[in-house]
Amino acid sequence: MAITSPDNRLWWKEPIHRIELAWIIIAFLWGLVMFFTMTFWHAFGQQNLSNTTYKVMPQAFAAKAERMAEQYKVREELGIPVVHPPPGSDVYLIGRIWMWWPILELEKGQSYRFHLSAMEYSHGFSLQPVNINIQLQPGYEHVFTMTPTDSGEFGIICNEYCGFGHHTMASRLYVVEKSTARSTQE
Amino acid sequence: MSATPQYRVCPTTGLKVFGATQALIKANAVAAVVFLAVGGLFGLSVALTRWPDVHLLPMDWFYLALTAHGLDVLLCWIIFFEVAVLYFASSVLLNCRLAAPRMAWLAFWLMVIGGVLTNITVLQGNSSVMFTSYTPLQAAPNFYLGLIIFAVGALIACGVFFGTLVLAKDERTYEGSVPLVTFGALTAAIIAVFTLASGAIILVPTWLWSLGYISHIDPLMYKLVWWAMGHSSQQINVSVHVSLWYAVAAILLGAKPLSEKASRLAFLLYIFFLQLASAHHLLVEPGVGSEWKIFNTSYAMYLAVLGSMIHAMTVPGTIEAAQRRLGFNKGMFEWLRKAPWGNPAFSGVFLSLVLFGFLGGISGVVLGTEQINLIMHNTVYAPGHFHATVVTGTTLTFMAVTYLLVPLVFQREIMFPRMAKLQPYVFAIGAGGISLFMMAAGTLGVPRRHWDITFADSIFPYQIPSAGFLMMALNGVCAILAATGGLMYIVNTVASVFFGKRTGDAPVKTYAATPAQAMGRPVVADYGSAGTMYIPGTIVLVGVFFVSFVLYYYVNWKYLAEVWPLR
């Protein structure tokens, strides 16, 4: 029994029954399949988070974001600049208590090089309803390329607890069709 | 030397129960139940706040309650109970006196002081940093100090366990190898040492930081090392509750492992590979490479998952084999239909086995897949997953075992047997529902640890799909059900322990020849040998499990493939 010493003192010499052995082999192979599915996705899948990260001082990161916002600001919403950077460019998003800054306006089907970092605490970039979730850490600038494939108004909420204002930390992200994008810029 | 320690012979199992061991098991179990009551209450208040139409607690209380909930149930309730199990699996199962009972009492009081200190600090209100206390969020110094004291106590308890194993071997109180359950407990204790060491490595500097002696704790390093404690300690739970599954099957049904070798191999895989799980929390983090993520998140090619999948067959398999030996041989499932479903120890264990495997196990692998984590990280899917493992897995098992602990160790009858009969079902439905509905809400984007998903105070409120609100409401309903089950358990346990009828020398009702008799008899079927094992029902169950696993795994890859391309 499981609560007594094994009846057979040489239990490690007992053969494992073939049914049990078969299951162990199936489970092992399934593990390999899952392992290589992750690897495979890096080669052929479209959704892989980049490993590019830089160490950065929060103020230095904020300065880069402000420079971008100054250059490409198209309007303001409730005091927050809405920024329409050119497709393919570097876009910066700051997470800080308890807001996202600035608001980005992107074009559908275009790729952007995102730079994410937090100012004082960790924050969670949660793009809704797409449901892409990426962590922000102060002192780390996380760089990845993202391509919006739907247009419309999206929500960015914070899903890493960051103090008593955490539940108010929400913002928007606009994705516009290419043609309308050009006309609004003109 | 002092006089030979006092012991009694258990009328049910024939095992020697030493006085000091019995007192320590009682003390740790009682402390566990007290923390469960407190932590459970905090948990209920959290779930009722997250039910948007109820929204029970004000904001600051919500985050405070959430911090205390994690602390009291995940740490205090579970580890106190585990210490009781360690003493049981060493001293009782090996017929040996406990090594250094005074140290064991020191461990107990350190854990009590640590747990209480951290609770008081949290209740003072300046330490609502969640159980994970990610830096740079800072709690009051006593928050960390309490955790450190608690961990030191738990480490001493592990030492007492190891000492007892050595003592038992020295004094030859058992023959051959230690029982499988003791082996599982040993697995847990070894993982616990790794876990507690990781905790010390990160919490001591963080404590010094909160006192102002250290200027900076890197948030990423904190998270990496903290989770070497935080996640690996969940593997202590897995090792312990799987051991208890084997133990309950043995005590109630006289069940024997199908193969000692396979079951022990599975535990060994836990020791080698489970510690890599810190990576599960860093999959969408900046500054961590994909190779590192893939290797660690998969426990080196899913070798620890392999361990769990082995238990997934061998635990129901031992039950089926034992039932068939008792004569429930008709068809595929008579052994299951005519299992002792009215016995809360059995029903609790079996429900736990099913829910842990289907809800907790599968969701854990999916959530821990490097890329799939992108569409789930920090949504309420994560608490959904770990409530399936820690609540329907560990907690439900501990509750089930309590129904044996009270008569066997406390020597009291269960005071309200009918309530006991019902309790595992109420709790399992409630806790299973919590897990399921939180996972569903998570796939709809509902964030975890969030006071108000209506975003009423936000300047740019985001409207979560109404289905998400519905899921959180259903989560609240199930939390009430789970809390009812928890209350039934606590009331019954406390009443029985303090006011229950003494059992005297009457053995506890089991369904096999009593283990004491079985021990002296030759086994009827030697399941360990090829050619005699017949477990068709288990094969069907495992088949269903495997198909669900594969389907759910690839469905989530499909969901992932639909989101915006990222590289």
Side-chain angles (χ1 to χ4, degrees):
Chain A
M1 282 195 310
I3 56 166
T4 54
S5 295
D7 300 319
N8 183 351
R9 287 193 63 154
L10 300 178
W11 53 266
W12 58 88
K13 288 191 175 170
E14 275 180 348
I16 296 177
H17 189 276
R18 62 191 156 76
I19 293 172
E20 217 178 340
L21 196 62
W23 172 241
I24 294 173
I25 291 169
I26 291 170
F28 175 70
L29 292 176
W30 170 235
L32 289 186
V33 168
M34 292 193 293
F35 181 84
F36 286 107
T37 306
M38 286 193 287
T39 323
F40 169 88
W41 200 260
H42 273 278
F44 302 101
Q46 297 294 309
Q47 292 80 11
N48 289 290
L49 190 56
S50 146
N51 294 324
T52 312
T53 301
Y54 301 99
K55 277 274 206 179
V56 68
M57 294 300 286
Q59 306 87 307
F61 183 82
K64 287 195 268 188
E66 277 156 21
R67 214 171 310 133
M68 170 200 72
E70 236 167 74
Q71 206 172 348
Y72 302 115
K73 179 173 152 181
V74 286
R75 59 179 187 278
E76 231 173 61
E77 284 183 19
L78 301 174
I80 313 265
V82 179
V83 178
H84 188 118
S89 69
D90 289 298
V91 299
Y92 295 83
L93 186 64
I94 299 174
R96 67 170 179 233
I97 48 173
W98 284 287
M99 63 192 300
W100 298 97
W101 196 96
I103 296 172
L104 298 169
E105 184 180 89
L106 309 175
E107 293 179 21
K108 185 181 162 184
Q110 301 288 346
S111 296
Y112 296 86
R113 206 154 171 259
F114 271 74
H115 297 243
L116 257 52
S117 191
M119 289 296 106
E120 61 308 282
Y121 297 137
S122 302
H123 296 288
F125 169 88
S126 181
L127 180 70
Q128 296 298 339
V130 186
N131 214 357
I132 288 178
N133 304 281
I134 297 169
Q135 193 79 28
L136 278 66
Q137 296 286 4
Y140 292 88
E141 180 175 346
H142 198 177
V143 187
F144 56 90
T145 302
M146 188 156 72
T147 315
T149 47
D150 309 289
S151 56
E153 184 189 319
F154 298 88
I156 298 176
I157 59 180
C158 177
N159 67 7
E160 182 61 79
Y161 173 70
C162 52
F164 283 172
H166 167 53
H167 60 277
T168 64
M169 188 167 164
S171 179
R172 290 174 188 161
L173 181 133
Y174 295 103
V175 180
V176 293
E177 299 287 342
K178 252 186 264 180
S179 51
T180 49
R182 289 208 187 89
S183 62
T184 50
Q185 256 192 329
E186 279 156 9
Chain B
M1 279 297 289
S2 57
T4 333
Q6 294 292 306
Y7 67 83
R8 64 182 175 87
V9 174
C10 170
T12 309
T13 59
L15 292 162
K16 285 181 192 168
V17 183
F18 287 86
T21 311
Q22 177 164 310
L24 277 154
I25 291 178
K26 283 183 183 178
N28 281 284
V30 167
V33 171
V34 171
F35 280 108
L36 176 69
V38 177
L41 201 62
F42 280 123
L44 178 65
S45 68
V46 166
L48 290 180
T49 309
R50 297 223 55 179
W51 181 345
D53 290 330
V54 179
H55 212 224
L56 179 72
L57 295 178
M59 184 266 294
D60 48 348
W61 273 95
F62 169 75
Y63 292 122
L64 186 154
L66 190 48
T67 306
H69 171 59
L71 169 75
D72 285 332
V73 284
L74 200 57
L75 194 74
C76 299
W77 143 248
I78 286 181
I79 295 192
F80 269 113
F81 203 95
E82 281 167 353
V83 169
V85 173
L86 287 185
Y87 296 157
F88 168 79
S90 53
S91 173
V92 177
L93 289 187
L94 298 181
N95 275 308
C96 179
R97 67 193 163 88
L98 197 70
R102 281 195 187 155
M103 291 303 277
W105 281 112
L106 174 69
F108 172 76
W109 286 112
L110 284 176
M111 286 166 67
V112 169
I113 292 167
V116 170
L117 179 61
T118 304
N119 262 291
I120 291 173
T121 313
V122 169
L123 285 171
Q124 283 169 344
N126 287 323
S127 300
S128 300
V129 291
M130 305 291 115
F131 179 52
T132 48
S133 56
Y134 290 147
T135 62
L137 285 173
Q138 194 176 61
N142 282 346
F143 177 87
Y144 308 106
L145 183 63
L147 293 177
I148 293 166
I149 294 174
F150 186 91
V152 169
L155 202 55
I156 294 174
C158 289
V160 172
F161 169 77
F162 292 128
T164 307
L165 293 191
V166 173
L167 198 63
K169 194 157 181 69
D170 262 12
E171 299 184 350
R172 295 169 192 276
T173 60
Y174 64 98
E175 281 182 32
S177 307
V178 297
L180 178 61
V181 173
T182 309
F183 190 85
L186 176 60
T187 304
I190 291 171
I191 298 175
V193 171
F194 169 87
T195 293
L196 296 166
S198 307
I201 289 171
I202 198 62
L203 286 174
V204 171
T206 307
W207 175 53
L208 294 173
W209 167 71
S210 72
L211 287 168
Y213 294 115
I214 288 179
S215 63
H216 178 67
I217 299 281
D218 183 87
L220 204 52
M221 186 216 35
Y222 176 91
K223 213 170 170 179
L224 173 73
V225 184
W226 194 91
W227 279 113
M229 170 185 74
H231 204 114
S232 305
S233 66
Q234 304 319 310
Q235 327 294 6
I236 310 175
N237 306 343
V238 176
S239 308
V240 170
H241 77 230
V242 172
S243 303
L244 290 175
W245 291 346
Y246 285 113
V248 169
I251 293 171
L252 289 183
L253 305 169
K256 183 177 173 299
L258 299 176
S259 151
E260 292 277 354
K261 191 158 61 175
S263 296
R264 285 171 200 241
L265 170 74
F267 280 121
L268 196 64
L269 288 171
Y270 284 170
I271 299 178
F272 287 154
F273 299 106
L274 274 178
Q275 280 81 321
L276 307 179
S278 173
H280 290 181
H281 304 267
L282 303 170
L283 294 175
V284 295
E285 213 74 23
V288 201
S290 285
E291 297 84 352
W292 185 90
K293 287 178 191 168
I294 291 180
F295 181 81
N296 285 280
T297 198
S298 68
Y299 305 109
M301 302 197 175
Y302 293 100
L303 291 174
V305 173
L306 175 62
S308 288
M309 287 176 79
I310 294 174
H311 291 308
M313 167 176 265
T314 58
V315 175
T318 59
I319 293 171
E320 175 169 7
Q323 283 283 83
R324 285 186 186 276
R325 190 171 54 165
L326 294 173
F328 299 108
N329 241 323
K330 224 185 289 166
M332 198 85 90
F333 286 114
E334 193 195 21
W335 65 276
L336 191 58
R337 263 197 331 274
K338 297 205 173 150
W341 291 106
N343 184 315
F346 178 85
S347 62
V349 159
F350 208 91
L351 289 168
S352 161
L353 169 71
V354 171
L355 292 170
F356 177 80
F358 277 86
L359 290 182
I362 295 177
S363 69
V365 168
V366 170
L367 181 60
T369 300
E370 192 210 355
Q371 295 93 337
I372 294 176
N373 191 259
L374 269 169
I375 56 171
M376 293 174 170
H377 176 77
N378 266 358
T379 64
V380 76
Y381 189 97
H385 152 68
F386 70 70
H387 279 76
T389 57
V390 180
V391 186
T392 69
T394 309
T395 298
L396 182 53
T397 300
F398 288 0
M399 287 174 167
V401 165
T402 307
Y403 294 114
L404 290 176
L405 192 71
V406 170
L408 292 177
V409 175
F410 288 85
Q411 294 172 282
R412 302 275 192 168
E413 278 177 21
I414 296 290
M415 204 150 174
F416 310 109
R418 274 195 167 158
M419 191 156 91
K421 210 172 182 174
L422 210 60
Q423 189 270 335
Y425 297 96
V426 176
F427 189 76
I429 294 169
I434 289 175
S435 311
L436 207 61
F437 292 124
M438 278 202 276
M439 285 192 238
T443 60
L444 296 162
V446 175
R448 69 186 291 193
R449 297 174 164 174
H450 203 278
W451 179 60
D452 178 22
I453 55 170
T454 64
F455 296 93
D457 298 338
S458 175
I459 51 171
F460 299 116
Y462 169 70
Q463 194 160 8
I464 293 215
S466 59
F469 281 75
L470 176 65
M471 292 303 146
M472 292 315 285
L474 289 170
N475 173 57
V477 173
C478 289
I480 293 174
L481 203 58
T484 309
L487 189 69
M488 289 162 77
Y489 165 78
I490 288 163
V491 166
N492 210 348
T493 306
V494 171
S496 308
V497 164
F498 291 104
F499 311 108
K501 215 170 97 189
R502 291 189 185 276
T503 51
D505 284 339
V508 170
K509 189 186 173 212
T510 58
Y511 304 88
T514 62
Q517 292 168 307
M519 261 180 246
R521 285 193 321 194
V523 281
V524 179
D526 197 0
Y527 306 118
S529 305
T532 53
M533 194 169 80
Y534 182 61
I535 49 166
T538 300
I539 294 171
V540 171
L541 292 180
V542 169
V544 171
F545 170 74
F546 186 65
V547 170
S548 323
F549 194 167
V550 174
L551 287 179
Y552 188 69
Y553 180 73
Y554 281 110
V555 160
N556 279 286
W557 278 104
K558 189 182 168 292
Y559 287 145
L560 175 73
E562 287 163 2
V563 306
W564 296 358
L566 275 165
R567 62 192 150 81

